[in-house]
Amino acid sequence: MPISNPAAQKKHLRQKWRAHRDATHNPAVDAAVGRAFLASSFYREARNLFISVSFGSELDTHALIARALADGKCVAVPYCDTQTHRMLPLWIERFPDDLTPGTMGILEPDPALCAPALPETLDLVIVPGIAFTRRGVRLGYGGGYYDRFLALLPAHVPTLALAPASQITDVLPAEPHDRRFGWLLTEAGLTDCRRAAAHD
């Protein structure tokens, strides 16, 4: 695919990387990444965290959400408003009881019952994706929900991608509106993506 057409290249890569993720998904690796996250300073120091509810072959976050709530942390999860094409973080108190199937069958909170979380109140954001680079570029699902949300996030709030090493690649296409994430955690360890990007 020509690099001059990143949108078309992304569409091609989404198909490729989703098939790769489906074929290589390993619950044991998910659990290893989850243990590393729970042992990290990101998790220990976070009081108000925003984390997506995994589906399909995404790295499993269900146990992480349940654990965070059990540990007394305040947890917000995404609600995607398909009318405005905006993603709203909404506080939940019970998992999965506070959620119902929403966009694409993904579990979402009910905006009529769950209070919104203001971006400035968050102190950790977990960023999902299909593929990632160690320089903080992510391949999302094409809706732009996270890029629009991350544009509203204060610069001091850490953004962390949790992924198996099999979803990491050297290069992904990026457009001007794409927002980078700050840190990457795999079963192989933690990467400061800001530092890696600064060496480009």
Side-chain angles (χ1 to χ4, degrees):
M1 302 295 290
I3 197 166
S4 60
N5 190 346
Q9 193 178 23
K10 283 180 182 178
K11 184 176 180 180
H12 167 74
L13 288 173
R14 283 188 192 102
Q15 296 174 338
K16 170 188 171 182
W17 278 98
R18 288 187 77 164
H20 173 74
R21 190 181 69 186
D22 289 346
T24 60
H25 182 232
N26 185 340
V29 173
D30 286 8
V33 177
R35 288 192 298 271
F37 171 60
L38 294 174
S40 71
S41 60
F42 290 103
Y43 181 76
R44 291 196 306 270
E45 296 170 8
R47 290 294 173 265
N48 302 319
L49 61 95
F50 179 47
I51 181 168
S52 64
V53 182
S54 60
F55 74 104
S57 60
E58 285 185 333
L59 185 136
D60 182 20
T61 61
H62 291 211
L64 302 179
I65 295 170
R67 170 66 181 273
L69 290 169
D71 285 345
K73 297 182 184 293
C74 296
V75 179
V77 300
Y79 168 75
C80 292
D81 187 334
T82 56
Q83 299 299 315
T84 64
H85 300 286
R86 297 285 175 177
M87 183 178 69
L88 305 174
L90 301 180
W91 298 116
I92 62 170
E93 296 180 356
R94 301 169 302 164
F95 182 84
D97 297 18
D98 287 348
L99 307 177
T100 57
T103 306
M104 296 186 294
I106 303 170
L107 292 175
E108 293 184 331
D110 185 342
L113 300 175
C114 300
L118 298 176
E120 58 268 25
T121 66
L122 301 171
D123 47 27
L124 178 63
V125 170
I126 305 301
V127 182
I130 304 172
F132 309 86
T133 77
R134 297 189 182 279
R135 291 173 174 79
V137 179
R138 58 181 283 274
L139 181 65
Y141 292 93
Y145 286 96
Y146 268 87
D147 289 315
R148 286 187 287 272
F149 171 74
L150 293 175
L152 303 175
L153 199 66
H156 69 272
V157 179
T159 51
L160 173 68
L162 303 176
S166 59
Q167 282 179 249
I168 311 307
T169 186
D170 290 335
V171 179
L172 287 170
E175 298 176 89
H177 64 267
D178 290 330
R179 296 283 171 161
R180 295 194 179 202
F181 57 90
W183 301 84
L184 172 67
L185 181 62
T186 75
E187 72 275 21
L190 180 69
T191 299
D192 183 343
C193 300
R194 305 163 305 168
R195 181 174 298 177
H199 293 156
D200 287 351

